[in-house]
Amino acid sequence: MFKRILSTLLIIGSATANITCAESNVDVAKHTMVIAHRGASAYLPEHTLEAKAMAYAMRPDYIEQDLVLSKDDHLIVMHDIYLDSTTNVAKVFPARSREDGHYYTIDFTLEELKKLQVTETFSMGEDGPQAKYPNRFPLWKSSFQLSTFEEELELIQGLNKSLGYEIGIYPEIKKPYFHHWEGKDIASIVLLKLKEYGYSDKQQKIFLQCFDAEELQRIKFELMPAMGIDLPLVQLIAATSWGEKLIDVDGTIKNYDYDWMLERGGLRKIASYADGIGPWYPMLMEVEDGRPRANNVVRRAHRRNLQVHPYTFRAEPENLPEEFENFNQFLHFAAYQLQVDGIFTDQPDQAVNYLSRPHHGKRGY
Ligand code: CA
């Protein structure tokens, strides 16, 4: 009798242990969401509708939109506040740059912006335009345009209807400080547009992201309550030296100091207005003797119920962090060592393929 009970207990015990072990691995993989960074941007020019349609077909969890305003207050889906490095603006409107040499999106109407051709990101070298990623889609081939936020929302919502998937959106309000300096309130315009398209609370598949902590607090505590909406917010974290946000201190322009965010009390502060953080992935790890391991940022963020969605995971050998031999190893590290909740990636196909497979054990790549 005693023997039978003991063996039953042992069977139950070992079955439970197996299930727990297997499920915990599968769960980690299942919950590492894939965010298509600027679309399928490794394969087609970023933020074009073509890149978004291709990303959609790869079935990520979310597709990202960066948003800036035109002169006539249309939301344009593009990464920079300048048109210089992704369009032929210098050819079409040669006299329209500002004193600093940049062509600002905010100086052009939608009608003018639609006349521009979009290409892969480039910089002007001595021998003409040089692609930022030489192995990606060739410069100036085929025909791509800038698109509005409405056009992209209708594309994604239309595909959700025709294909029956539920792929979310992940808009980013670009440089609110710059838009304020130009006399425009981009955050209010984005929120109104989201409300118009049915995004009003945490039931819809959306995250709204921004690098600007003060603007996110304004959105959380003033703008959204006034509009009767409540969307999940993500605080993006930059390095101070990048100058991602500029501030005017008694007439002197300075880089906003991001250091407080990962210091003591920083994540608690962020958790008072946001649902997640979007750090640069090196902020989550430390490397000792060439071996990467997690630091305590993800654990501290999870303790505050903050999701963690680092950027940007790129698969090409030349874009891979040197600590990893291949992209799967990098994804494995993010999912199982860092235990992040989602990743921004230029290769949503590869990330979905790897992260949707159950991986047992520590070296599943
Ligand atoms: Ca972005």
Side-chain angles (χ1 to χ4, degrees), residues 37-38 64 66 79 172 174 209 236:
H37 179 245
R38 311 183 195 176
E64 190 202 24
D66 289 318
H79 180 264
E172 177 186 347
K174 298 304 287 190
Q209 49 169 340
L236 297 171

Side-chain angles (χ1 to χ4, degrees), residues 98-352:
R98 291 193 184 183
E99 271 182 13
D100 62 6
H102 288 302
Y103 296 84
Y104 286 74
T105 310
I106 210 160
D107 293 337
F108 294 83
T109 63
L110 177 59
E111 194 186 345
E112 291 170 331
L113 293 170
K114 283 289 188 182
K115 294 187 173 126
L116 302 178
Q117 193 182 341
V118 172
T119 189
E120 272 289 316
T121 306
F122 65 91
S123 59
M124 285 309 289
E126 282 183 6
D127 304 324
Q130 305 291 316
K132 182 175 181 190
Y133 300 108
N135 295 322
R136 294 189 176 180
F137 200 85
L139 291 184
W140 307 116
K141 298 298 182 187
S142 193
S143 172
F144 305 100
Q145 275 192 329
L146 292 168
S147 55
T148 64
F149 193 29
E150 291 95 318
E151 287 170 329
E152 179 155 341
L153 289 174
E154 289 174 15
L155 177 78
I156 293 171
Q157 292 189 347
L159 287 168
N160 277 345
K161 179 169 186 283
S162 61
L163 280 160
Y165 311 151
E166 196 198 347
I167 292 178
I169 61 166
Y170 207 128
E172 177 186 347
I173 303 172
K174 298 304 287 190
K175 293 188 164 48
Y177 79 86
F178 169 78
H179 286 90
H180 283 304
W181 288 355
E182 296 288 321
K184 291 185 189 291
D185 182 1
I186 185 173
S188 291
I189 295 173
V190 169
L191 291 172
L192 281 171
K193 193 57 70 186
L194 288 171
K195 190 177 178 185
E196 184 187 326
Y197 276 85
Y199 300 94
S200 58
D201 58 35
K202 292 174 184 178
Q203 301 306 309
Q204 289 87 44
K205 213 166 163 189
I206 177 177
F207 285 99
L208 179 60
Q209 49 169 340
C210 193
F211 274 106
D212 192 317
E214 286 65 35
E215 194 74 354
L216 279 173
Q217 289 166 71
R218 181 173 165 256
I219 288 167
K220 178 70 181 178
F221 300 118
E222 294 174 36
L223 300 181
M224 292 203 299
M227 290 181 200
I229 63 177
D230 187 22
L231 302 171
L233 304 179
V234 171
Q235 172 71 62
L236 297 171
I237 306 178
T240 300
S241 61
W242 300 346
E244 180 60 42
K245 176 181 176 179
L246 300 179
I247 50 171
D248 185 336
V249 183
D250 303 326
T252 307
I253 305 301
K254 290 184 173 166
N255 288 359
Y256 176 86
D257 191 339
Y258 277 90
D259 296 353
W260 66 268
M261 291 186 182
L262 296 179
E263 286 169 1
R264 196 178 162 81
L267 293 172
R268 187 177 60 218
K269 167 78 180 164
I270 291 171
S272 72
Y273 61 85
D275 301 83
I277 56 171
W280 186 35
Y281 68 80
M283 294 170 177
L284 307 179
M285 55 194 263
E286 51 200 24
V287 181
E288 209 178 287
D289 298 330
R291 291 179 67 83
R293 62 167 187 236
N295 63 21
N296 64 10
V297 172
V298 175
R299 199 173 64 229
R300 289 195 291 127
H302 284 166
R303 209 182 295 144
R304 301 282 172 200
N305 283 326
L306 288 166
Q307 293 203 33
V308 183
H309 302 163
Y311 57 89
T312 302
F313 287 67
R314 297 188 173 97
E316 300 102 326
E318 65 271 27
N319 298 324
L320 203 62
E322 60 181 8
E323 293 81 26
F324 303 98
E325 286 163 25
N326 56 56
F327 195 45
N328 283 354
Q329 225 181 59
F330 189 21
L331 293 168
H332 192 269
F333 176 75
Y336 296 98
Q337 304 297 313
L338 299 182
Q339 305 208 355
V340 299
D341 304 281
I343 58 156
F344 287 90
T345 179
D346 287 0
Q347 281 91 357
D349 54 339
Q350 295 187 45
V352 168

